[in-house]
Amino acid sequence: MTDDRARVTTPAEEPGVVLDVRDAVRHYALRRRSLREPRRSVHAVDGVSIQLRSGRTLGIVGESGCGKSTLGRLITGLETPTTGSVKVGADGTPAAVASGSGTVQAVFQDPASALDPRMRVRESIGEALGRVGKDERERRVGEALAAVGLTSEFGSRYPHELSGGQQQRVCIARAIVDEPDLILLDEAVSSLDASLQAQILDLLERLQRETGTAYVFISHDLRAVRQVSHSVAVMYLGQVVEQAPAEAFDRGLLHPYAVALRSTEPQILDDEADPIERIVLRGEPPSAVNPPAGCRFAPRCPIVDDHCRRIAPDLVEAASDHLVRCHKPGELSLSGVARTGAGMPAEA
Ligand SMILES: Nc1ncnc2c1ncn2[C@@H]1O[C@H](COP(=O)(O)OP(=O)(O)OP(=O)(O)O)[C@@H](O)[C@H]1O
Ligand code: SF4
Ligand SMILES: [Mg+2]
């Protein structure tokens, strides 16, 4: 470690913490068409705090535009927060400083565009190792290939000579080869078919058991997120609205948006013993440029009232490890429409 890096490094406050996001905000200023026009900005990430320990997976789920990838870019240090802090690694290094150091790696949706078409597989993977001797590079690249289930023969291929699933395995091999503390997976299995998805998710779980690497798993697909995550954060318009252990997603969700998201998962619609009503949300999410003053979910919430429209709820601990941002947590449940009777009828 260089002296420069040592100066900006502060030890993580709790042992085992490899990601510490504190009140992170990322706004993008929009260009004004004239000087008289008020300044406006996109509130892509608006006050997110999360912590993750080694060997654990945090899932992040929410519909398109809610800020998942922006949060991912803050975590990988590709962007810096407008305010707040993002620290990664066992020694709590600011993400922007750690970027490129091997502490945090990323795997994205489209493996074909993530791999340089002119590089052989072994060069792509070896590049992530930085400066190491030839023999060590060869050994570690071979180990990474084996870890993702590819024989050494694949090392001499070019990306176009691989299937989509094999390309994504190479991206994962490149992410793990330098033994990072944390890997960000942003829609990493979304473009793969169901059986390949299952293979890659199994592979990630096995690698985590063997190496203790922590994952942040971003997806719009709640089912995939629940399958691999220990804990899941549901985002809505730049904020976490519910964060809970994955088990809570079976029945114990408290936020109306999280409940609605969960209710549309296809495999639970046939659960005849304890039927789940499908909650169909009407309307588009409000713009991240002008979030509503009160609760951001109010324009679409089936149980909204005047208080919700006026006062923004805080994220509070409803139970151990279970956070929710709602004035009426649990009033809309998976077993039916709200206890208050004010819910929205289900639609087939
Ligand atoms: N560089 C940028 N400049 C302006 N606005 C941006 C920029 N990057 C993202 N945004 C906006 O920030 C919001 C969050 O975008 P982000 O890509 O993080 O969403 P996402 O949850 O990853 O969506 P998806 O599921 O479609 O990938 C969106 O409203 C988006 O238009
Ligand atoms: S605060 Fe009100 S509008 Fe917002 S999610 Fe809760 S019940 Fe719905
Ligand atoms: Mg995204």
Side-chain angles (χ1 to χ4, degrees), residues 116-125 127 157-159:
D116 187 332
R118 293 157 304 176
M119 275 192 185
R120 291 180 194 273
V121 163
R122 79 164 69 83
E123 292 159 357
S124 279
I125 299 172
E127 203 186 24
R157 293 205 199 174
Y158 288 96

Side-chain angles (χ1 to χ4, degrees), residues 167-243:
Q167 287 172 345
Q168 197 59 311
R169 281 169 192 263
V170 171
C171 291
I172 293 170
R174 193 172 59 176
I176 61 170
V177 70
D178 203 19
E179 299 174 5
D181 290 334
L182 176 67
I183 300 180
L184 174 90
L185 300 132
D186 189 348
E187 305 283 4
V189 297
S190 305
S191 63
L192 306 176
D193 67 41
S195 76
L196 259 177
Q197 267 197 19
Q199 279 181 30
I200 298 282
L201 295 180
D202 283 351
L203 166 67
L204 289 168
E205 273 178 317
R206 177 172 60 74
L207 290 173
Q208 185 173 63
R209 277 197 306 276
E210 289 167 6
T211 62
T213 306
Y215 299 143
V216 174
F217 187 89
I218 292 177
S219 177
H220 63 277
D221 178 358
L222 179 57
R223 199 162 144 195
V225 168
R226 292 200 312 129
Q227 197 183 328
V228 293
S229 304
H230 298 100
S231 147
V232 179
V234 179
M235 284 186 75
Y236 190 81
L237 268 186
Q239 298 181 322
V240 172
V241 293
E242 183 153 8
Q243 185 175 344

